[in-house]
Amino acid sequence: MDNFTYFNPTRIHFGQGQIAQLTNEIPSDARILITYGGGSIKKNGVLEQVHAALAGRHFLEFGGIEANPHFETLMKAVALVKAEGIDFILAVGGGSVIDGSKFIAAAARYQGDAWEILQTYGSKVTEALPLGTVLTLAATGSEMNAGAVVTRAETQDKLFFHSVHVQPRFSILDPVTTFSLPPRQIANGVVDAFVHTLEQYSTYPVNAKVQDRIAEGLLRTLIEEGPKALANPQDYDVRANLMWSATMALNGTLSTGVPTDWATHMIGHELTGLYGLDHAQTLAIVQTAVWKYKLAAKQAKLAQYAERVFDLRDGSDEQKALAAIEQTEAFFAAMGNPPRLSAYGLGEEVIEPVAAKLTAHGHVALGEHTDITPEDVKAILRLAL
Amino acid sequence: MDNFTYFNPTRIHFGQGQIAQLTNEIPSDARILITYGGGSIKKNGVLEQVHAALAGRHFLEFGGIEANPHFETLMKAVALVKAEGIDFILAVGGGSVIDGSKFIAAAARYQGDAWEILQTYGSKVTEALPLGTVLTLAATGSEMNAGAVVTRAETQDKLFFHSVHVQPRFSILDPVTTFSLPPRQIANGVVDAFVHTLEQYSTYPVNAKVQDRIAEGLLRTLIEEGPKALANPQDYDVRANLMWSATMALNGTLSTGVPTDWATHMIGHELTGLYGLDHAQTLAIVQTAVWKYKLAAKQAKLAQYAERVFDLRDGSDEQKALAAIEQTEAFFAAMGNPPRLSAYGLGEEVIEPVAAKLTAHGHVALGEHTDITPEDVKAILRLAL
């Protein structure tokens, strides 16, 4: 096991009715900005619950934060924060709203051009407005970590930053808020959480038994519950299991003491930035292609994955690994995210632009061995045609 | 899944050489009290590493905190803290030293008779000195939670308290510090962590899939690594897996959204208080007796435990549950803690005194259904003769 530091101070309130906890979690004299996305929270009763919990408080609202939140949109919120003396951000939505709100919280206190926050991966962030969240979609894990991804629409750049200063003070996770989501968002969330887990698992063995078992437990849970969530949208326990899986998948627990990959995410970000694919679609396209390209290096963990997640116990390690790849692709397809570029009307024309963007962003040594160059990415994408 | 709140702000530094992190974790102007136990840290190089990290700092030392730390001993440390203006406690040791140090930290700031802290389960604690820990034994999980158990030698009372104010600010977990431990302490630690996991698992199903998978992963890891730790005391990975298992077993992760039992611990505490048995011995004696007494109520989870932890897939749920009980008893015995009172020279004479102590302490409705009375405890102990 590798050395690690683990620290996660976000307070989680999980379960039906927990939005009422906002009353206790936000200081009574706070000047609050409620941030949200396309407005579904006005239809499904979530915003009403938020208003009830904040009755008598000072708050403003900023809606319209899009999927893959745009720098341009978020800077409008930053201007509002400054003009209105906002001192608390309450993000109500999924990962895009929370990621965007982390950026707002940091940019509102940043001296200089806020785009630098992303160009320097958050290393220059020294303070941020306090942030709390009401999560309405199980997917990204942003509700319990210090990372965020923001897209500059103008230049098609999708970049990430980390800072302890934007870690949510609290997050409220009520599975009922996800009942009214469209099936595509549910399915995407399952694939996102699944690949978050794989990025921290499908590398090479370091004898980290607890971390492996937890990852395998999350993968099995997502495989079991994902299809049920699509079939029975009102099943509370299924939604609760998905929500807690997605949070646990990226709250720092899985990455303790183990190598991590993240090549799939880095390549996928460029596909979204350039071609507007859903984040989950890009993950489904790239994940198994990375495995095929790096089969020898990843074979031991993929064989373990085959045994413990899919109960595939026969054959050599290579045979088990290949069988697990097949099962994984079938799962992605069943969750509405087929694992090929062609399924989304894309082909060889994406290869050069994606490699060029990775180079421009300085992402030229990806994966747990930092040995995946833009040339390797081209080969990986050819395996995903 | 049940509603829950999860919050764990302890920063963990895990791995070889991490004691050096003390330099950054403790304020440079702190007046530190280093607390420890029998003095093994002077022989195995741990105290030397602590001194090196704190070179030039102001610190005093208080040793001699015993297993099942005594109120009487701890109050001497409280007097020292007050006399010397100590403002930071650094506990260096296992669960007893850390639990005792939590009590010292709270008692040093408590107005009134400090014994009340335990009589009121910590509910009257409103502040405490900041506390950090260097863990030297994988067992209790105290390094990453807000609970502590203290024994009043004079009256044979072993009582617990919880308070957010005594949650360690940081804990340093270096598996190398456990290389020199006697086998009995290693074995006891494994049994302690194992039963902590069971207390939060072997109840009734609430469809909390993530929590169940994590618990099962910890149980499998402890079963796999426990015997190896005894056979190969210098195997770093084995000690690392045990250490992280024990911390994860009682840091709040397992109890999210599920019922918990804790009857075994409550009964076990009285056995230690009255007869001086090791904590782990009492857990091994009581755990399977509780299961046998409550077999119908616990059968579903015990059958799941049989399948997923011991790969016992044949037979009825009752048959699987009984087979899992047998396997559990064999594991306890293999870890040097046979699961019967008779193995420790005790018999029927303990039954009435234990039931009387539980009654005196107000613990008259134990277990996940709060339906285990002192009369039931007598029956349970008869199953453990």
Side-chain angles (χ1 to χ4, degrees), chain A residues 73-89:
Chain A
T73 304
L74 304 173
M75 289 309 290
K76 291 179 192 160
V78 171
L80 182 66
V81 164
K82 290 180 176 174
E84 297 288 340
I86 295 295
D87 59 16
F88 200 102
I89 310 283

Side-chain angles (χ1 to χ4, degrees), chain A residues 186-250:
Chain A
I186 290 292
N188 282 0
V190 170
V191 170
D192 195 21
F194 197 82
V195 176
H196 285 164
T197 307
L198 292 172
E199 295 275 28
Q200 303 163 88
Y201 173 81
S202 61
T203 58
Y204 53 89
V206 294
N207 199 359
K209 293 197 166 192
V210 172
Q211 296 87 326
D212 280 1
R213 291 285 182 191
I214 297 175
E216 290 149 3
L218 294 176
L219 295 169
R220 285 194 85 117
T221 301
L222 291 163
I223 290 168
E224 288 167 13
E225 304 293 78
K228 287 188 213 160
L230 298 179
N232 311 306
Q234 312 266 323
D235 187 321
Y236 178 86
D237 274 346
V238 167
R239 295 296 171 104
N241 283 325
L242 287 181
M243 201 167 227
W244 194 226
S245 293
T247 301
M248 288 294 291
L250 202 54

